[in-house]
Amino acid sequence: MSTPSSNKSTMRDALTKPQGFRFLGLDFDSAIKYFFGGNAFVAVVVLALITIFLFKEGFGFISQNRRNLQVYRQAGLEYVDIMRSRMDAHTKLGRQVNAARLNLFKDLQKQGKSLDEINAMLAPLDEFSGKFSDAAETLRGLVSDYGDAAATIKQSASEIQDRLEEKEMLIDAGKRDQAEKVVVPVIDFPSARKVILDSEPQYAELCGAMRSTLIALINTPNPGYEMIPLEVRSRFKTDTLAFLDYLDQGKSELTAWNPDKPVGYLDGLASFLTHPEWLTASFWQDWYGVIPLFVGSLFVSVIALLLAVPLGVSAAIYVNQIAGNREASYIKPAIEFIAAFPSVVLGFFGVAILGETIRAISGWHFLSWISFFPIAERLNATTAGILLGLMAVPTIFSLAEDAINNVPVHFKEASFALGASKLQTLVKIIIPAALSGIIAAVLLGFGRVIGETMVVLLCAGNRIKIPDFTEGLGAFFQPVHTMTGIIAQEMGEVPSGSIHYRALFMVAILLFLLALGINFLAQRIVRRFKISIG
Amino acid sequence: MSAHIFQEKSSAILTVEKIVFWLFRVATYVVLIFSAYILLTITFKGIGSVVKLSPPFIDIPFLTESPETLHVFQFEGKPMQLGDTEYRQFTATRTVNDPNESTVAHSAGGIFPCIVGTVLLVVGSMVIALVLGVSSAIYLSEYGGSGRIVETLRLAILNLAGVPSIVFGLFGFAMFVIFFKWNVSLIAGWFTLAFMVMPVIITAAEESLRAVPQGFREGSLALGATKWQTIRSNVLPYALPGILTSSILGIARVAGETAPIMFTAAFVKTDQLPWQGLAHVTDFFFRGVMALPYHIYVVSSKIPQNEFTERMQYGSAFVFLLVVASIAMTSMVLRTRLRKAYKW
């Protein structure tokens, strides 16, 4: 046994002397604390790294796209596109005549006429449509000639770019003398595009000729023209007159066009955010406009939510309020189990079975009164939307069920005590009390579907075009492409560092910001509208 | 039967109530039936690729071979379907003279390398994610309190959970594949998947840590144990089962993801298994692997849907579904059992 004095000294030692283990001035316990804290901090670091890397790779897009647009303008492609848009408008107009012909053809076929007979009967109409189409012959020639010229200038401009890059690479590699030898051709844009600017008087002349031809076509009696049903004809007439104004308007646009108008960095970004086309590897001009992809993503998500919100919320209400304990204990894990379905398997199901089934159903005879049935594409927005909806159900279900579960029982009891029926209690008390939670659940479900990749990549049809909403409900059965889908589809094939590569990162940045925004909004809603329970 | 005074009398309100409640019921069952339909279709069509009616009852080649090109042709009036290896042996001695002979990529052989790759990806990423996730959870629940820093941490975790998986894929590609120059490799996939699943694990682990009663900690601290000793001996052991079951859910998620590994770890086809032909041991980590989800994506999008390709398509989907579903099922069963077992 030790003496009291030595005991005292050990006590003092224990209190004053540092303990044995020290690491960077920390004792063992603090070291462990900081180790755990450091790990927790990884979440922040990862979020920061994601932001940094997405922006690092994506940001170069803006200057690259600016250069892209600059060449587009300086080489005169933009100028030719003014004429080209008129040509496209004319072609679109011609489609009205073709559609009318198709309808007449079907009618005659129903009357039991043979093919030769029908063709003979429709000959005047064909003649009319031929004349209409021929009216744009000069315009087409103009676009084609000057288009070639502009494309050539662009070609040499991109060659300059290639050489410059080659030079840069050689300098980076330390081969200065070799870099000196790389010849960068110089082009004089103003004189090169002089040829193109010459088209202006030709265009003015063409406008006059086209006006007189088209006016003559729609105003003088013509057997072919009269074959078109009156209703279609009057629309065609107004559209043609509008087209002629549009054609004339081109004259002032061509005059006002300024090749030296500077393209700013903001234009590089604006073109990404607002241009209605995503067009890559085109012979003419590449466009990286996110709009069709964004609309596609949104459209598919909306379809998914239209299905998932009623189903998920209903199921949550049913399980929490209506079903018996036993039934609930089976349904709850079953719905939660859906969350474990791998998305690629669902996508495969869509490709192999669901798409075909939807198309088969649309071909059923008694549904033929629906104008857009039978549908043409097996893989379309609805096919993807249904499966995405299924994927969103568990998310919405779990969160909504939680929200309903958190409504205090005495709210319900009070309502019953006042003589309200079960349904009244549900609609007037429980759902309003849980509403903020339900809305947050829907938002998070939305976040889940808009970020989902495999199902849309496999089932949405992958056509990069804004769905034609003028077709009404038919738009639901058009193929679309989405933001997530385009990244997954094109990332593997683009050379890293190219403008296309960076454009995909820009899409990812947009997705990332969207996800953060949705999360933020969901949290705000839950916090702000939470009914104080007490 | 005599009417009870509280017996519900039929009234318009009650009828409406009944109808509305039935609508809720129908909606619930629509979801369940549709998902059961998906499950059953893939099972019925896919089970034939894996199970046979004759001994050994399991289609061993499908589970042990690599995917191959399928040759479809007529030989002496008989329709033949042979994988590439068999086809070469077959044509070594005979000449096939069929004008309609066709080949389909990826449709013969088996999915062994894909299973191996998936297992490697899942195991590696889970190790990383568990270390990071559980440590973070311990910090948040035991040390954190409710300061500014912890708020930031929680916000970051919450937001990380909402980031689309393809964005994780792209981030992994930019950081690990390009910036760190790891190329398309196992290790790049590990980190990408681990970061993706980390929020799930943190949330789940924190929940089970918080479920351990405060008294356990207080008792230990009162006896003079340090914070770490308390955590190690009085908190972690009781939270561990909960942490593990929840992380199984994370495993199901990691195994099921395709988008993040598309350009960070997965190859459409490699000739060698991950451990074959290594010049150096570290090469193991820096090579891409084949993975089941990516394989399913390739066979469902790049080859046509017909009778020759069905075996591979439905077979892989079935195996994959089986793997993921059993992981998820285990976690669910364990969770319910543990909830009953641990009551304080």
Side-chain angles (χ1 to χ4, degrees):
Chain A
M1 220 171 146
S2 53
T3 58
S5 63
S6 76
N7 205 351
K8 206 185 257 173
S9 79
T10 24
M11 184 73 97
R12 194 184 297 126
D13 283 352
L15 289 172
T16 54
K17 279 192 181 165
Q19 274 160 8
F21 180 85
R22 282 261 159 188
F23 179 71
L24 295 174
L26 300 171
D27 61 35
F28 185 67
D29 243 38
S30 319
I32 286 202
K33 178 183 171 182
Y34 286 113
F35 168 73
F36 287 144
N39 274 308
F41 215 66
V42 167
V44 179
V45 172
V46 169
L47 207 59
L49 282 176
I50 292 181
T51 322
I52 291 168
F53 273 92
L54 289 185
F55 279 92
K56 172 179 167 282
E57 298 289 328
F59 235 57
F61 171 80
I62 295 177
S63 65
Q64 271 178 331
N65 200 33
R66 172 177 167 260
R67 204 156 53 217
N68 180 25
L69 292 172
Q70 210 160 23
V71 170
Y72 173 68
R73 179 165 292 163
Q74 290 187 333
L77 271 71
E78 190 181 44
Y79 185 83
V80 179
D81 264 346
I82 296 174
M83 293 188 263
R84 191 189 290 270
S85 60
R86 270 64 190 181
M87 188 178 92
D88 291 342
H90 179 270
T91 317
K92 208 172 155 196
L93 213 53
R95 263 184 233 136
Q96 286 186 15
V97 182
N98 290 339
R101 186 193 193 272
L102 191 68
N103 282 335
L104 286 173
F105 185 88
K106 276 186 190 157
D107 285 346
L108 290 171
Q109 217 172 19
K110 266 186 202 150
Q111 288 165 23
K113 299 263 186 340
S114 77
L115 200 66
D116 288 339
E117 276 177 306
I118 299 175
N119 279 334
M121 284 176 81
L122 293 179
L125 181 61
D126 289 341
E127 197 194 325
F128 172 78
S129 123
K131 273 184 190 158
F132 183 80
S133 146
D134 286 346
E137 207 48 57
T138 2
L139 180 60
R140 247 171 256 143
L142 222 58
V143 169
S144 150
D145 290 350
Y146 293 107
D148 285 349
T152 318
I153 305 176
K154 190 190 168 187
Q155 186 71 42
S156 23
S158 68
E159 201 177 320
I160 295 179
Q161 197 54 45
D162 290 348
R163 290 288 159 274
L164 280 175
E165 269 165 26
E166 192 185 334
K167 208 165 186 170
E168 219 164 86
M169 262 161 67
L170 284 171
I171 291 173
D172 282 349
K175 297 173 185 164
R176 235 159 233 293
D177 42 332
Q178 261 181 290
E180 297 290 316
K181 280 182 207 153
V182 176
V183 186
V184 180
V186 189
I187 64 169
D188 179 14
F189 279 113
S191 61
R193 64 174 174 250
K194 207 167 170 4
V195 195
I196 302 171
L197 293 171
D198 284 348
S199 62
E200 227 178 286
Q202 275 176 285
Y203 182 81
E205 192 184 311
L206 163 157
C207 280
M210 225 165 148
R211 175 172 283 275
S212 52
T213 321
L214 291 187
I215 292 281
L217 267 178
I218 55 172
N219 281 340
T220 48
N222 178 319
Y225 183 46
E226 267 144 34
M227 286 178 83
I228 303 173
L230 197 62
E231 198 185 317
V232 182
R233 210 188 319 162
S234 66
R235 198 184 135 209
F236 177 69
K237 197 168 171 176
T238 24
D239 285 357
T240 308
L241 290 174
F243 165 72
L244 285 172
D245 289 343
Y246 182 54
L247 192 69
D248 283 340
Q249 195 194 320
K251 278 192 279 193
S252 51
E253 270 180 48
L254 289 181
T255 327
W257 179 73
N258 173 15
D260 300 317
K261 194 174 147 204
V263 184
Y265 282 96
L266 270 181
D267 293 329
L269 181 64
S271 151
F272 172 75
L273 292 175
T274 58
H275 198 272
E277 277 175 302
W278 179 280
L279 205 68
T280 57
S282 142
F283 79 100
W284 179 247
Q285 169 71 8
D286 287 354
W287 289 106
Y288 301 94
V290 80
I291 294 286
L293 305 169
F294 184 75
V295 171
S297 274
L298 211 59
F299 189 42
V300 174
S301 305
V302 166
I303 297 174
L305 288 185
L306 281 180
L307 294 165
V309 171
L311 292 176
V313 174
S314 302
I317 293 171
Y318 181 71
V319 165
N320 198 280
Q321 297 290 322
I322 304 166
N325 274 342
R326 217 183 140 74
E327 198 184 2
S329 72
Y330 288 114
I331 296 176
K332 221 174 139 176
I335 292 185
E336 277 166 8
F337 181 70
I338 298 174
F341 277 20
S343 60
V344 70
V345 171
L346 286 179
F348 167 63
F349 176 81
V351 171
I353 293 168
L354 186 67
E356 199 52 58
T357 312
I358 292 176
R359 187 160 65 178
I361 289 173
S362 77
W364 285 355
H365 194 65
F366 74 89
L367 288 176
S368 57
W369 53 271
I370 301 175
S371 61
F372 48 88
F373 273 7
I375 56 174
E377 300 288 341
R378 181 166 64 94
L379 301 175
N380 53 48
T382 301
T383 315
I386 290 175
L387 291 169
L388 278 184
L390 183 70
M391 294 184 77
V393 164
T395 310
I396 295 178
F397 169 82
S398 305
L399 294 169
E401 212 251 348
D402 265 0
I404 295 169
N405 210 20
N406 284 338
V407 178
V409 184
H410 55 253
F411 280 29
K412 193 169 155 184
E413 285 162 354
S415 171
F416 282 154
L418 289 171
S421 75
K422 263 177 127 178
L423 183 63
Q424 284 163 336
T425 311
L426 191 63
V427 175
K428 299 256 163 87
I429 305 293
I430 295 173
I431 295 180
L435 200 61
S436 66
I438 294 176
I439 292 173
V442 171
L443 266 177
L444 292 172
F446 176 64
R448 176 140 170 66
V449 291
I450 207 156
E452 171 48 44
T453 311
M454 295 324 286
V455 167
V456 289
L457 179 59
L458 285 163
C459 304
N462 297 352
R463 187 179 69 183
I464 310 175
K465 206 177 153 212
I466 300 170
D468 185 4
F469 289 107
T470 54
E471 280 191 32
L473 290 174
F476 283 95
F477 296 97
Q478 287 169 4
V480 291
H481 213 326
T482 57
M483 295 191 286
T484 51
I486 200 105
I487 298 175
Q489 191 187 27
E490 295 187 343
M491 197 62 215
E493 290 151 19
V494 296
S496 80
S498 66
I499 178 171
H500 190 174
Y501 167 89
R502 297 198 191 284
L504 292 176
F505 272 91
M506 285 295 283
V507 176
I509 291 173
L510 194 61
L511 263 173
F512 181 63
L513 296 180
L514 210 60
L516 292 189
I518 290 170
N519 245 326
F520 175 75
L521 206 63
Q523 288 163 43
R524 278 289 291 272
I525 287 174
V526 167
R527 260 193 223 155
R528 183 172 242 194
F529 298 101
K530 201 167 205 169
I531 287 186
S532 59
I533 295 161
Chain B
M1 239 202 253
S2 65
H4 190 274
I5 55 158
F6 289 131
Q7 188 168 13
E8 290 175 349
K9 297 183 194 81
S10 65
S11 69
I13 289 179
L14 285 180
T15 322
V16 171
E17 185 176 291
K18 222 171 219 170
I19 293 170
V20 172
F21 283 6
W22 263 100
L23 284 179
F24 285 141
R25 176 172 296 164
V26 168
T28 312
Y29 281 95
V30 162
V31 172
L32 292 181
I33 289 169
F34 185 58
S35 36
Y37 173 66
I38 295 178
L39 211 59
L40 292 179
T41 321
I42 289 177
T43 307
F44 278 129
K45 292 206 171 189
I47 205 163
S49 314
V50 186
V51 177
K52 281 197 297 198
L53 287 176
S54 55
F57 300 110
I58 287 178
D59 194 337
I60 290 169
F62 188 74
L63 296 177
T64 56
E65 285 177 1
S66 303
E68 282 183 340
T69 303
L70 180 75
H71 293 258
V72 183
F73 55 92
Q74 297 262 335
F75 186 72
E76 292 169 354
K78 271 191 297 182
M80 303 280 281
Q81 290 181 38
L82 293 181
D84 207 35
T85 330
E86 281 179 295
Y87 180 76
R88 261 182 238 156
Q89 283 168 3
F90 188 80
T91 47
T93 50
R94 284 154 283 208
T95 36
V96 176
N97 195 6
D98 179 11
N100 297 324
E101 181 178 343
S102 62
T103 55
V104 198
H106 308 302
S107 286
I111 51 172
F112 184 60
C114 307
I115 297 175
V116 168
T118 305
V119 169
L120 283 176
L121 276 173
V122 168
V123 170
S125 54
M126 277 319 281
V127 169
I128 300 171
L130 274 179
V131 170
L132 286 175
V134 174
S135 314
S136 311
I138 291 176
Y139 180 78
L140 286 177
S141 107
E142 305 299 319
Y143 294 96
S146 54
R148 185 92 180 232
I149 295 174
V150 176
E151 280 292 294
T152 320
L153 284 176
R154 284 187 197 284
L155 202 67
I157 292 163
L158 205 68
N159 280 317
L160 215 51
V163 174
S165 57
I166 186 92
V167 174
F168 272 105
L170 221 53
F171 156 67
F173 178 73
M175 177 153 154
F176 304 125
V177 178
I178 305 269
F179 188 71
F180 287 178
K181 299 198 175 65
W182 286 352
N183 296 325
V184 175
S185 62
L186 196 57
I187 190 167
W190 281 352
F191 278 99
T192 310
L193 288 173
F195 286 158
M196 193 195 74
V197 81
M198 200 172 64
V200 178
I201 302 219
I202 295 177
T203 322
E206 204 194 333
E207 198 182 308
S208 19
L209 283 168
R210 281 189 188 279
V212 178
Q214 204 57 33
F216 284 32
R217 298 181 183 93
E218 283 157 1
S220 166
L221 288 171
L223 289 172
T226 62
K227 186 99 179 171
W228 168 236
Q229 285 166 337
T230 306
I231 294 170
R232 201 185 50 198
S233 59
N234 274 26
V235 180
L236 272 185
Y238 302 98
L240 211 55
I243 294 177
L244 288 181
T245 43
S246 315
S247 40
I248 296 178
L249 214 62
I251 295 180
R253 187 152 171 224
V254 163
E257 280 293 348
T258 319
I261 58 168
M262 278 178 97
F263 11 82
T264 55
F267 280 156
V268 179
K269 192 154 167 56
T270 47
D271 295 332
Q272 292 169 323
L273 287 166
W275 51 82
Q276 286 174 340
L278 296 177
H280 200 272
V281 184
T282 50
D283 282 0
F284 177 78
F285 301 104
F286 294 98
R287 280 207 313 202
V289 289
M290 291 173 77
L292 256 182
Y294 191 53
H295 180 70
I296 293 171
Y297 163 63
V298 171
V299 296
S300 52
S301 65
K302 302 276 178 343
I303 61 176
Q305 325 282 319
N306 59 34
E307 49 181 320
F308 307 121
T309 59
E310 249 182 20
R311 173 179 164 276
M312 182 52 99
Q313 286 167 337
Y314 283 98
S316 347
F318 170 65
V319 171
F320 189 42
L321 200 56
L322 200 68
V323 170
V324 176
S326 47
I327 297 172
M329 203 79 104
T330 320
S331 127
M332 277 180 181
V333 171
L334 272 177
R335 197 164 55 182
T336 22
R337 285 178 64 175
L338 277 171
R339 265 188 196 155
K340 278 178 198 157
Y342 281 87
K343 276 200 175 141
W344 289 293

